[in-house]
Amino acid sequence: MDLAHAPPRYPGHDYRGDGEIVTVRVAGEVVGHLSRKDWTAVGWLPRPDLSEDADTVRVMVQDILRDFARDGRPLVDAWAEVLNHTQHDAPVTAPLDGLAG
């Protein structure tokens, strides 16, 4: 079976080594972790069992990443859009190894 359609997306990274990590929140609840290695790959790991408000933010982040990739916009633009529209902690550079579980 050939894959006829796959939604557009940015390349994912391998969760090894250091990267930039942003914890996305809503009203203090952690929605998930947005991460990147350079500007070549991105990761979005939402938490399970989110409240209704947090789930809305989860979908918003996913939509921004998908829509910007579909439109051929650079990852740096999608990253900025997510940060402009969400509550989040300051970005930190840290090992990505522990994020993927």
Side-chain angles (χ1 to χ4, degrees):
M1 174 184 254
D2 290 332
L3 183 61
H5 173 76
R9 66 184 192 100
Y10 295 106
H13 57 69
D14 60 6
Y15 291 96
R16 292 189 202 143
D18 286 348
E20 186 171 337
I21 303 167
V22 174
T23 301
V24 176
R25 299 179 182 272
V26 64
E29 180 182 359
V30 173
V31 177
H33 301 284
L34 183 67
S35 57
R36 68 176 180 88
K37 290 176 87 170
D38 301 315
W39 289 109
T40 59
V42 67
W44 168 238
L45 295 173
R47 292 177 45 103
D49 302 320
L50 295 169
S51 68
E52 186 175 336
D53 289 341
D55 195 53
T56 299
V57 173
R58 175 192 63 80
V59 171
M60 184 174 66
V61 171
Q62 290 174 185
D63 287 349
I64 289 169
L65 293 172
R66 184 196 62 236
D67 292 349
F68 277 55
R70 179 199 62 220
D71 295 344
R73 297 183 63 182
L75 175 56
V76 67
D77 291 352
W79 186 272
E81 188 78 0
V82 169
L83 297 188
N84 285 336
H85 288 89
T86 62
Q87 297 173 0
H88 56 82
D89 296 351
V92 296
T93 299
L96 296 168
D97 307 73
L99 282 182

